[in-house]
Amino acid sequence: MVIGIALLLLSPVLVFLLPNFVANTLYFKTGSWFIFVSGGVYMIYTIGMVLLIAVFFVLYVLNLSKKAYYISAGLALMAVLTFYIASLNYTMLSDDEIVYRPLFSFETHSYNWSDVEKAKFRSIHADDGTSQFDVTFNDGEKLTFTVNRLFSKFLNPVESRLSYEGVEVEKILVPKKE
């Protein structure tokens, strides 16, 4: 029970820090700028954390019975599977390439910076939503970055790299809604 309560109290911090830590641990390589995870990954980690907490509460509520062990083992297996699925999603920007794996996909997409056909930055007022940076590749694939505090630190290097490759970033200023 104590472990379940401790996880319950620590889960907001763990869910906030764990996705980026895991992605950077698994996918960071020499020349990488940063590894990003999508917003949906945090929800999947939350589900995994709830399953993990449920393991300990089931053991406590059912008084460590044989049935409790089977249910807890099933919940633990589901939690591990959930964390595994969440760990597959990432987007890596590096000196040479852009590599990403969409959420719930086992296919990794890898593109050189020279494969970028066009880029578009939509600046939206903070009260109206979030700004987005779209990159379209030669094969028609499109990758969208949400411009948050973290990505905004990499906006200038991304624009510089695209400029070096001869790709002009189309900048669209969306007026503030009244």
Side-chain angles (χ1 to χ4, degrees):
M1 182 65 172
V2 173
I3 296 172
I5 292 172
L7 278 175
L8 184 64
L9 295 174
L10 290 174
S11 63
V13 174
L14 290 174
V15 167
F16 179 71
L17 296 177
L18 206 55
N20 272 325
F21 176 76
V22 169
N24 276 286
T25 302
L26 293 175
Y27 303 112
F28 192 86
K29 63 181 185 178
T30 305
S32 296
W33 298 352
F34 196 76
I35 311 291
F36 300 94
V37 294
S38 66
V41 169
Y42 292 96
M43 183 56 68
I44 295 173
Y45 270 91
T46 301
I47 292 168
M49 193 61 68
V50 167
L51 290 169
L52 195 58
I53 292 167
V55 166
F56 297 103
F57 280 102
V58 165
L59 285 172
Y60 175 74
V61 170
L62 296 178
N63 294 324
L64 299 175
S65 67
K66 199 173 198 180
K67 183 179 179 181
Y69 285 121
Y70 290 130
I71 294 170
S72 294
L75 289 171
L77 186 62
M78 289 179 4
V80 168
L81 183 63
T82 303
F83 287 132
Y84 172 73
I85 289 170
S87 72
L88 295 177
N89 173 261
Y90 73 99
T91 302
M92 179 185 66
L93 300 177
S94 70
D95 295 336
D96 303 323
E97 61 187 350
I98 300 170
V99 180
Y100 69 97
R101 182 182 292 154
L103 195 56
F104 302 118
S105 174
F106 293 103
E107 183 181 353
T108 302
H109 303 274
S110 180
Y111 295 97
N112 291 324
W113 286 99
S114 60
D115 294 333
V116 175
E117 186 175 293
K118 62 182 179 178
K120 187 186 300 184
F121 174 59
R122 283 190 307 278
S123 180
I124 300 172
H125 193 274
D127 294 339
D128 296 337
T130 56
S131 298
Q132 293 182 328
F133 191 88
D134 298 326
V135 178
T136 305
F137 300 102
N138 292 336
D139 64 357
E141 283 287 321
K142 183 177 174 183
L143 179 62
T144 300
F145 295 97
T146 300
V147 181
N148 53 21
R149 287 184 192 173
L150 182 59
F151 185 76
S152 64
K153 293 178 184 177
F154 295 94
L155 193 56
N156 286 335
V158 167
E159 287 180 345
S160 295
R161 181 59 193 215
L162 290 172
S163 176
Y164 176 78
E165 295 295 336
V167 178
E168 184 177 333
V169 177
E170 180 184 352
K171 295 183 180 181
I172 301 170
L173 179 60
V174 178
K176 183 174 175 12
K177 293 179 183 175
E178 298 288 327

